[in-house]
């Protein structure tokens, strides 16, 4: 018996129908607990090993979860994928990873591709260009389980995982104020994104609470080009009415700020204090070390996968509720914001 037996042979040994044995092994609610126990014990005794490929064909399932992200070269998305992959592999699923490169047309093509059931479920963070969500609504109507994270689509009635962007931006701005900053700038990429709106709202409310008026030039809209961003930030820092503090909504703009500071006579943190939303592990190695608001990326990925696995393995018992689940970020203070 060292090579194992087939499902039919296991069923014959138990004197049960193969379909009953299969349902028992899959923990079906249609089978009694006594029968499940009997089947599992015999399966272990006779070294029964299920054929995952044959099972996938029978169930018309790919055992695949598609992950759609805006970009691969981003510590946050990389860690989310690690979390999803960890849980998915434990349950025999593998990942198909697609990057939209912040292009809504690419996003539409990917979504169209997935409508043919190439994957059993989808985990997604929308692109910065996504405003019309009709392509996502069509996908949802196909009854393909889908979960959103970070950059969510509020129009689709499913589960969304986010972090506390408003509170984190508020606390980050408040920290800069406590360190003596009087003129605080907010650096952003896509202002239409839900996460940008929440972070900007937290920034504004912290200023308002401190009796500060936001300067229009301090709300800096940047782009995807690092060179252009460095130039924009350099111009801001060289202006007569320059900021003495910066809250960066994404880590790439914080790094651009470090480069921009080198083009001036300013120094961090003496002349400019900076804090950023970031998941890069090297923040503490920068000179000076960078204060960060770290999103719980790995946990978000794990929780997305756990919920989808429950849905995929027991679809009748696990609906994807229309809900927003918030997992808090962590504020880490380092040299870039410390008053001397």
């Amino acid at each position: 018996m060292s090579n194992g037996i087939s499902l039919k042979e296991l069923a014959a040994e138990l004197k049960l129908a193969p379909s009953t044995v299969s349902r028992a092994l899959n923990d079906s609610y249609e089978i009694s607990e006594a029968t499940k126990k009997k089947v599992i014990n015999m399966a272990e005794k006779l070294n029964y090993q299920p054929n995952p490929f044959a099972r996938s064909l029978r169930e018309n399932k790919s055992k695949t979860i598609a992950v759609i992200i805006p970009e691969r070269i981003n510590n946050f998305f990389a860690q989310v994928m690690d979390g999803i992959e960890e849980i998915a592999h434990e349950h025999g699923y593998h990942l198909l990873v697609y990057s939209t490169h912040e292009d809504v047309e690419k996003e539409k093509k990917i979504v169209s591709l997935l409508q043919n059931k190439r994957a059993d479920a989808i985990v997604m963070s929308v692109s910065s260009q996504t405003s019309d969500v009709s392509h996502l609504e069509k996908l949802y109507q196909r009854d393909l389980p889908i979960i959103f994270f970070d950059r969510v689509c509020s129009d689709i009635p499913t589960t969304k995982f986010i972090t506390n962007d408003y509170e984190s931006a508020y606390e980050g701005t408040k920290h800069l104020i406590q360190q003596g900053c009087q003129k605080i700038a907010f650096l952003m990429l896509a202002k239409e994104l839900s996460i940008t709106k929440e972070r900007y709202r937290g920034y504004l409310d912290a200023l308002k609470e401190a009796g500060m008026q936001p300067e229009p030039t301090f709300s800096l809209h940047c782009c995807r080009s690092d060179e252009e961003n460095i130039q924009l930030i350099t111009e801001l820092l060289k202006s007569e009415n320059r900021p003495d503090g910066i809250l960066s909504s994404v880590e790439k703009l914080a790094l651009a700020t470090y480069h921009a500071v080198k083009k001036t006579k300013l120094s961090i943190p003496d002349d400019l204090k900076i804090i950023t939303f970031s998941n890069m592990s090297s923040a503490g190695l920068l000179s000076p070390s960078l204060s960060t608001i770290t999103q719980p990326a790995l946990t978000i990925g794990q929780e997305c996968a756990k919920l989808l696995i429950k849905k995929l393995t027991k679809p009748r018992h696990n609906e994807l509720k229309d809900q927003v689940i918030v997992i808090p970020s962590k504020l880490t203070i380092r040299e870039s914001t410390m008053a001397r």
Side-chain angles (χ1 to χ4, degrees), residues 145-178:
I146 182 169
I147 285 177
F148 292 96
F149 72 94
D150 192 47
R151 306 179 184 184
V152 303
C153 177
S154 57
D155 295 332
I156 306 297
T158 187
T159 302
K160 299 103 178 169
F161 285 91
I162 63 171
T163 188
N164 55 337
D165 289 300
Y166 169 83
E167 290 83 1
S168 297
Y170 173 86
E171 291 299 329
T173 307
K174 188 176 178 180
H175 168 66
L176 290 173
I177 295 169
Q178 290 170 342

Side-chain angles (χ1 to χ4, degrees), residues 283-295:
L285 301 177
L286 296 177
S287 182
S289 57
L290 178 61
S291 294
T292 56
I293 300 166
T294 303
Q295 297 167 272

Side-chain angles (χ1 to χ4, degrees), residues 61 145 308-320:
K61 290 183 177 180
L308 276 184
I309 293 297
K310 285 182 180 179
K311 172 64 177 174
L312 292 171
T313 53
K314 295 183 180 180
R316 297 185 185 182
H317 296 273
N318 296 285
E319 292 300 321
L320 295 178

Side-chain angles (χ1 to χ4, degrees), residues 63-328:
K63 300 293 285 186
T64 299
I65 294 173
V67 182
I68 306 175
I69 56 175
E71 56 182 342
R72 292 174 186 265
I73 308 174
N74 181 300
N75 290 299
F76 171 72
F77 293 119
Q79 290 173 29
V80 170
M81 284 193 293
D82 286 345
I84 297 171
E85 190 172 44
E86 176 189 327
I87 303 301
H89 280 187
E90 287 178 3
H91 294 84
Y93 282 80
H94 60 275
L95 305 187
L96 276 177
V97 181
Y98 298 91
S99 176
T100 63
H101 300 285
E102 301 286 17
D103 186 335
V104 70
E105 292 305 318
K106 286 185 179 179
E107 181 177 280
K108 289 178 180 178
K109 288 178 181 178
I110 292 167
V111 166
S112 178
L113 184 69
L114 292 172
Q115 286 184 15
N116 63 4
K117 298 286 187 178
R118 175 170 292 205
D120 297 332
I122 298 172
V123 181
M124 182 176 185
S125 186
V126 302
S127 81
S128 58
Q129 296 181 353
T130 304
S131 54
D132 176 10
V133 297
S134 56
H135 59 296
L136 300 178
E137 290 172 343
K138 288 179 183 177
L139 186 66
Y140 176 76
Q141 290 165 4
R142 291 290 186 96
D143 290 328
L144 191 62
I146 182 169
I147 285 177
F148 292 96
F149 72 94
D150 192 47
R151 306 179 184 184
V152 303
C153 177
S154 57
D155 295 332
I156 306 297
T158 187
T159 302
K160 299 103 178 169
F161 285 91
I162 63 171
T163 188
N164 55 337
D165 289 300
Y166 169 83
E167 290 83 1
S168 297
Y170 173 86
E171 291 299 329
T173 307
K174 188 176 178 180
H175 168 66
L176 290 173
I177 295 169
Q178 290 170 342
Q179 295 302 306
C181 294
Q182 297 292 318
K183 298 180 178 181
I184 302 170
F186 181 84
L187 308 185
M188 69 189 98
L189 286 176
K191 62 181 180 179
E192 299 83 8
L193 286 174
S194 57
I195 58 171
T196 305
K197 290 178 180 178
E198 286 300 288
R199 292 172 186 179
Y200 189 54
R201 192 166 66 88
Y203 156 79
L204 291 176
D205 281 357
L207 292 183
K208 183 179 179 181
E209 185 182 88
M212 298 180 182
Q213 290 294 324
E215 292 277 351
T217 57
F218 287 176
S219 297
L220 192 63
H221 297 274
C222 299
C223 60
R224 295 197 60 188
S225 168
D226 291 332
E227 292 75 15
E228 290 182 37
N229 290 335
I230 292 170
Q231 183 59 35
L232 282 170
I233 297 167
T234 301
E235 291 173 2
L236 177 65
L237 296 180
K238 286 183 175 180
S239 65
E240 290 186 13
N241 185 30
R242 69 168 181 83
D244 57 6
I246 284 179
L247 172 63
S248 174
S249 64
V250 291
E251 68 185 34
K252 72 178 294 178
L253 298 182
L255 295 176
T257 300
Y258 269 61
H259 284 291
V261 167
K262 289 183 178 180
K263 295 177 178 291
T264 72
K265 294 181 180 180
L266 304 176
S267 67
I268 303 172
D270 296 331
D271 305 306
L272 179 73
K273 295 176 175 58
I274 178 169
I275 187 168
T276 184
F277 283 82
S278 173
N279 281 72
M280 62 179 174
S281 58
S282 59
L285 301 177
L286 296 177
S287 182
S289 57
L290 178 61
S291 294
T292 56
I293 300 166
T294 303
Q295 297 167 272
L298 187 70
T299 302
I300 288 175
Q302 291 169 335
E303 293 304 312
C304 284
K306 286 177 184 178
L307 197 59
L308 276 184
I309 293 297
K310 285 182 180 179
K311 172 64 177 174
L312 292 171
T313 53
K314 295 183 180 180
R316 297 185 185 182
H317 296 273
N318 296 285
E319 292 300 321
L320 295 178
K321 299 177 182 177
D322 184 11
Q323 61 180 335
V324 175
I325 298 176
V326 180
I327 304 177

